[in-house]
Amino acid sequence: MVFKYDFLIIGAGVAGMSYALKIARAHKGKVCIICKTTLDEANTYFAQGGVASVTNTKIDNFDKHIEDTMIAGDYISDRRAVEQVVRNAPGQIAELVEWGVNFDRKADGSFDLHREGGHSEFRILHHADDTGAEIQRGLMHAVRSNPDIEIKENHFAVEIITQHHLGITVTRRTPDIECYGAYVLNPDTQKVDTYLSKVTLMCTGGCGAVYQTTTNPVIATGDGEAMVYRAKGTVQDMEFVQFHPTALYHPGETHPAYLITEAMRGYGGILRLPTGETFMEKYDERLSLAPRDIVARAIDKEMKIHGIDHVCLDVTHKDAEETKHHFPNIYQKCLSIGIDITKEYIPVRPAAHYMCGGIKVDLDGCSSIKRLYAIGECSCTGLHGGNRLASNSLIEAVVYADTAARHSMAHVDEYDFNTAVPEWNDEGTMTNEEQVLITQSLKEVGQIMSNYVGIVRSDLRLKRAWDRLDLLYEETEALFKRVKANRDICELRNVINVGYLITRQAIERKECRGLHFTTDYAHHAYDEN
């Protein structure tokens, strides 16, 4: 089957749905969202903390938010991107509210603001401790209610279509690579259909599932980054993987591991060893409110020193009713596994959380491939630099949805559908024996990445990861050529591609910078040698 849409959106989190709503409002053409599961299973849903934006101008201002972001990004953030996001944030918050998203407010009607690590002021808008779920709920309702947006749930984008599929040799040096749409797997027919588009938007979210333990859902397999990399697009800063320092330690729950929001440390939570002893004073004067990378490395080190599999977060000194009010979902979740957080410590450990790099884009969300935009976690806008400031990601997604929507609507009439694109070659068969190869390889990737390309790295570990991933890549590509495309093997290909990109770009960075910490280049870029 061949489908034609003016705007093809691959991914359905806050970025994709915001973009779709803006395009549909302008009535600039047919809009289609490709969602590989259901709308409510996006990474956005799992974002507990909140959205960073300057709203209380009596105590806060844009310059403070910009400086906090630059410091967190280890001064390799693109200041133009930082300024664009920070200055446009309040306007996009107003738009989210207009679409039906509820943020917690005080009795006087003003926003109830939290503060998180790395922020100099209280500026985090939230909805209890499930802000992402609330944003997803509001946007889903708006998208489903809009007759101009077509939603294809449980459809999987296999590849984006470029000149390569017309028989033209495309390399990383090829100028003017163009995207003509995507090949998409239909779950009902198990056939790969051709989706032609004038404009394609990649917003596939994160890639935490590359690691053994992650706060991301199992669907976060880095599909966008992998597809664009295979299409010879530019992917950048993949070495900067943010590990959330406090995922709930509960063996068996690893994809996703339950997130204990950073707001709990902003609320006064104290990190302790299981014995009750504090340890953050050894690592940073900001103690438990230090930025995530410092806290994650500190926890990682303490776990290794003491031979323990978790540390603890303590809120037992806080008022019990206030704790239940602020963190109702965390309270219930911990209670479900036998922990009353008002009386007992919460067992926590770091887990892969957020990708700061991704598909390189400019201030309009344009990738290096013409007619292809990328926004949200799969993109590298330059906002995060070497490390993401807490709660900057959701606001980045909606601000760039706005800039990408404006730019693509201004140019969509310059493009046409490329009807010379051939249909997908679906030769091959898949047997149960081959399925076990996919499952085993996926496990291996998780082990390789967690053991060798984790919070603390070294040249030796990275080289070992590279060699192992190379072998898995060769085996998987050979298998992919022999079998019919299905979601499992496509996700495995993507996970291997993303693991390779993280490892290669980590090898290339010969310094400790932001989230990339290596024992072989202990000096930071600003240290005196």
Side-chain angles (χ1 to χ4, degrees):
M1 296 278 288
V2 178
F3 299 91
K4 292 181 180 179
Y5 294 96
D6 298 281
F7 298 89
L8 180 65
I9 301 166
I10 303 174
V14 60
M17 289 198 288
S18 299
Y19 178 89
L21 287 166
K22 289 168 188 288
I23 298 291
R25 183 173 59 197
H27 301 291
K28 285 289 288 184
K30 287 175 70 180
V31 181
C32 178
I33 297 178
I34 301 292
C35 177
K36 78 169 176 177
T37 51
T38 56
L39 278 189
D40 55 4
E41 208 180 328
N43 246 9
T44 299
Y45 183 85
F46 295 86
Q48 287 178 352
V51 187
S53 175
V54 174
T55 54
N56 183 353
T57 51
K58 289 178 185 170
I59 59 160
D60 202 4
N61 60 52
F62 291 148
D63 289 339
K64 286 183 184 177
H65 191 180
I66 289 165
E67 192 55 26
D68 290 346
T69 302
M70 293 301 295
I71 291 167
D74 211 352
Y75 291 102
I76 52 175
S77 298
D78 181 338
R79 185 173 279 274
R80 297 170 308 151
V82 175
E83 290 189 359
Q84 175 165 288
V85 170
V86 169
R87 295 184 191 282
N88 286 296
Q92 293 308 308
I93 292 292
E95 192 139 14
L96 285 175
V97 171
E98 200 179 299
W99 284 329
V101 175
N102 297 308
F103 294 109
D104 288 357
R105 295 178 186 266
K106 296 178 181 173
D108 65 2
S110 63
F111 291 121
D112 176 34
L113 302 173
H114 278 175
R115 182 181 168 193
E116 295 181 347
H119 287 273
S120 57
E121 299 292 351
F122 284 77
R123 67 167 71 98
I124 313 300
L125 292 87
H126 62 95
H127 180 272
D129 57 356
D130 61 350
T131 309
E134 169 58 20
I135 291 173
Q136 193 78 358
R137 182 206 60 75
L139 291 177
M140 275 196 307
H141 178 73
V143 165
R144 288 198 195 281
S145 306
N146 194 312
D148 296 327
I149 300 171
E150 198 170 335
I151 305 160
K152 298 282 185 90
E153 291 182 301
N154 298 305
H155 282 60
F156 188 89
V158 178
E159 297 286 14
I160 59 169
I161 301 167
T162 67
Q163 293 99 314
H164 164 76
H165 298 97
L166 301 173
I168 298 166
T169 301
V170 176
T171 71
R172 301 209 178 276
R173 293 186 181 82
T174 302
D176 303 331
I177 304 174
E178 275 195 307
C179 177
Y180 306 123
Y183 288 117
V184 177
L185 180 64
N186 181 327
D188 299 325
T189 63
Q190 287 301 306
K191 295 273 190 187
V192 176
D193 295 324
T194 307
Y195 281 68
L196 299 179
S197 62
K198 293 180 180 177
V199 164
T200 303
L201 175 75
M202 195 66 75
C203 46
T204 51
C207 51
V210 172
Y211 286 88
Q212 245 176 336
T213 304
T214 175
T215 61
N216 295 181
V218 71
I219 61 168
T221 48
D223 304 324
E225 294 97 322
M227 280 188 276
V228 171
Y229 177 72
R230 286 197 296 268
K232 307 299 187 280
T234 303
V235 178
Q236 185 176 304
D237 293 347
M238 293 291 283
E239 70 272 29
F240 297 127
V241 181
Q242 189 174 69
F243 288 80
H244 199 290
T246 56
L248 178 65
Y249 174 68
H250 184 218
E253 270 190 44
T254 58
H255 284 72
Y258 189 81
L259 179 67
I260 305 296
T261 174
E262 191 159 18
M264 193 163 258
R265 286 184 283 126
Y267 168 71
I270 299 166
L271 287 164
R272 301 182 185 276
L273 295 173
T275 57
E277 185 186 343
T278 60
F279 58 87
M280 278 308 299
E281 61 274 10
K282 294 193 286 186
Y283 301 96
D284 196 280
E285 61 188 15
R286 291 165 287 189
L287 306 177
S288 295
L289 270 175
R292 291 175 178 181
D293 58 322
I294 293 169
V295 178
R297 280 200 295 274
I299 293 172
D300 185 66
K301 189 163 186 180
E302 291 295 317
M303 284 164 54
K304 283 172 178 160
I305 289 171
H306 298 284
I308 52 180
D309 45 25
H310 66 86
V311 297
C312 299
L313 188 60
D314 173 20
V315 289
T316 59
H317 55 288
K318 301 292 285 186
D319 179 78
E321 292 309 310
E322 194 183 356
T323 298
K324 291 179 198 175
H325 170 71
H326 278 303
F327 306 104
N329 293 291
I330 292 174
Y331 175 73
Q332 288 297 335
K333 172 65 181 179
C334 290
L335 212 54
S336 76
I337 59 170
I339 299 164
D340 181 344
I341 66 172
T342 64
K343 299 172 185 169
E344 301 167 271
Y345 294 166
I346 307 167
V348 294
R349 63 176 295 162
H353 182 57
Y354 189 87
M355 173 55 67
C356 292
I359 302 158
K360 181 62 183 162
V361 297
D362 64 13
L363 293 173
D364 294 312
C366 299
S367 74
S368 62
I369 297 175
K370 287 188 172 180
R371 298 165 55 166
L372 178 70
Y373 295 76
I375 58 174
E377 190 176 346
C378 75
S379 70
C380 177
T381 64
L383 172 71
H384 306 306
N387 189 2
R388 176 179 71 108
L389 181 65
S391 291
N392 262 359
S393 52
L394 290 175
I395 197 62
E396 175 198 38
V398 291
V399 168
Y400 270 86
D402 190 62
T403 62
R406 290 172 191 273
H407 189 272
S408 55
M409 285 191 291
H411 293 276
V412 68
D413 292 337
E414 299 165 16
Y415 312 132
D416 212 338
F417 299 109
N418 190 328
T419 53
V421 171
E423 291 192 17
W424 180 263
N425 180 351
D426 66 350
E427 290 175 6
T429 56
M430 171 66 86
T431 66
N432 289 335
E433 288 79 16
E434 284 153 348
Q435 187 63 34
V436 76
L437 301 178
I438 295 170
T439 312
Q440 181 57 32
S441 293
L442 207 52
K443 278 185 196 162
E444 283 182 52
V445 175
Q447 290 169 341
I448 291 164
M449 295 303 293
S450 292
N451 292 334
Y452 304 140
V453 201
I455 296 170
V456 176
R457 301 161 180 176
S458 70
D459 281 353
L460 189 61
R461 290 177 206 171
L462 292 172
K463 175 69 168 64
R464 181 163 290 193
W466 173 285
D467 290 342
R468 300 288 194 277
L469 288 168
D470 193 45
L471 182 63
L472 286 169
Y473 171 79
E474 295 295 344
E475 289 174 353
T476 305
E477 287 303 301
L479 183 60
F480 184 72
K481 289 185 175 78
R482 284 179 38 220
V483 303
K484 279 187 188 295
N486 69 14
R487 181 174 148 183
D488 289 339
I489 193 163
C490 290
E491 284 188 328
L492 174 60
R493 287 180 86 212
N494 294 343
V495 159
I496 292 169
N497 277 173
V498 168
Y500 161 81
L501 282 165
I502 295 169
T503 305
R504 193 189 83 191
Q505 294 182 3
I507 288 170
E508 289 169 355
R509 187 167 286 279
K510 309 289 188 189
E511 61 175 346
C512 284
R513 197 67 180 270
L515 295 160
H516 174 65
F517 187 85
T518 168
T519 56
D520 286 293
Y521 304 94
H523 283 292
H524 185 278
Y526 304 132
D527 290 346
E528 287 184 20
N529 291 320

